[in-house]
Amino acid sequence: MRIIFTDHYESMSEEAAKIIAAQLWLKPDSVLGLATGSTPVMLYQKLIHLYETVGLDFSQATSFNLDEYVGLSPNDEQSYHRFMHENLFDHVNIRNERIFFPDGLADDAAAEGMRYEKAIEAAGGIDLQLLGIGRNAHIGFNEPADCFTRTTHKVALKGNTIAANARFFASEKDVPREAMSMGIGTIFQARHILLLASGAEKAQAVKDTWEGTITPAVPASILQLHPHVTLIVDREAGSLLTAKGKELA
Ligand code: GLP
């Protein structure tokens, strides 16, 4: 893992935008794995700016989102589908037929998981996977567990994840209790993983991920084994890293 230290949310977003823009310039038909949540919002704004000002081209790109809530239709205001359209897709020239999400309305979750895995494979695999991180170090919706999940699957969300995501809903009881998520194995197959963390509430997850024991109790810790991970932290998210952790960078 390579780590990039930045001062604040904006500079973290700027560094991430440069990496994604470079990926698209070098390989216009890149397959991107994209993420939702607050963390990538400014990064998406910066990509839109690059599209508008210097013609960053998404026309040949394909995207696979990490996850979607179970029970929400793509048009639901809180669906991740809608989030991505509002925050990125509707503002750049990505083609609709190259945008993929796990289907939160699928009756058969196992079949849906397989369909999603096959679609990723048929597209040639993910070149660059963007990730945020949960306060409990979940990635996608892969919650702390007894073993690392492999493929796209249905997950039951933990209470603290439901509470953390309640800010996007009218109230906590409206947050879906389940989601479809790429597995840790799906994420791990990406050729390059870009993990972003901003703010003090992510500091412990960053420390555990970067310098802790590799364990499914800290889902993101498996990334220590991946050959090409770039972690970008702002000052607060990197604040608990020890001198040893900083040396590893
Ligand atoms: C959700 C998403 C994750 C995201 C996490 C952190 O659980 N499924 O992909 O990384 O929230 O969100 P935020 O960036 O809002 O802190």
Side-chain angles (χ1 to χ4, degrees):
M1 276 210 271
R2 179 168 81 103
I3 190 164
I4 299 175
F5 293 98
T6 63
D7 282 338
H8 42 62
Y9 178 61
E10 177 158 15
S11 41
M12 178 205 76
S13 307
E14 186 71 42
E15 289 305 313
K18 283 188 210 158
I19 291 172
I20 295 185
Q23 173 71 39
L24 285 171
W25 266 308
L26 290 170
K27 187 172 184 263
D29 61 349
S30 288
V31 178
L32 303 176
L34 295 179
T36 51
S38 308
T39 306
V41 169
M42 192 182 281
L43 152 65
Y44 292 152
Q45 287 166 4
K46 291 189 180 289
L47 291 177
I48 293 166
H49 183 70
L50 288 171
Y51 165 73
E52 288 170 345
T53 54
V54 292
L56 179 63
D57 184 19
F58 291 79
S59 66
Q60 296 176 60
T62 298
S63 95
F64 285 89
N65 258 84
L66 272 170
D67 45 19
E68 180 59 280
Y69 287 115
V70 165
L72 297 194
S73 85
N75 288 326
D76 194 290
E77 266 189 36
Q78 270 77 32
S79 73
Y80 281 168
H81 195 277
R82 182 85 174 261
F83 174 99
M84 287 305 302
H85 276 273
E86 283 175 1
N87 285 282
L88 180 65
F89 297 152
D90 290 352
H91 309 283
V92 297
N93 63 340
I94 191 162
R95 289 162 62 171
N96 245 322
E97 64 272 22
R98 297 220 178 102
I99 295 172
F100 297 88
F101 282 82
D103 180 1
L105 295 179
D107 290 331
D108 183 340
E112 173 56 14
M114 254 155 53
R115 180 198 70 82
Y116 206 58
E117 294 291 322
K118 288 210 176 104
I120 294 172
E121 201 185 314
I126 292 171
D127 292 302
L128 178 62
Q129 176 66 57
L130 175 66
L131 296 176
I133 189 165
R135 291 169 203 194
N136 60 6
H138 74 246
I139 46 178
F141 267 130
N142 293 282
E143 297 278 24
D146 295 335
C147 61
F148 291 110
T149 57
R150 294 256 166 202
T151 54
T152 303
H153 60 296
K154 183 152 95 171
V155 290
L157 305 183
K158 299 267 187 201
N160 49 6
T161 299
I162 292 168
N165 285 323
R167 67 190 192 280
F168 296 113
F169 292 79
S171 77
E172 195 170 318
K173 70 172 172 27
D174 295 321
V175 184
R177 269 39 188 171
E178 294 176 319
M180 290 293 298
S181 176
M182 282 185 193
I184 297 279
T186 325
I187 293 168
F188 208 80
Q189 283 179 47
R191 291 181 264 281
H192 182 188
I193 295 173
L194 181 57
L195 173 61
L196 308 184
S198 168
E201 71 275 14
K202 302 294 174 66
Q204 188 64 46
V206 165
K207 178 182 165 64
D208 294 346
T209 296
W210 177 252
E211 55 188 35
T213 308
I214 299 170
T215 163
V218 180
S221 63
I222 190 83
L223 299 178
Q224 290 178 31
L225 301 179
H226 192 283
H228 193 185
V229 176
T230 305
L231 166 60
I232 310 182
V233 292
D234 66 10
R235 198 182 297 123
E236 287 184 335
S239 61
L240 293 181
L241 291 172
T242 62
K244 179 173 160 268
K246 287 185 172 151
E247 251 169 51
L248 285 172

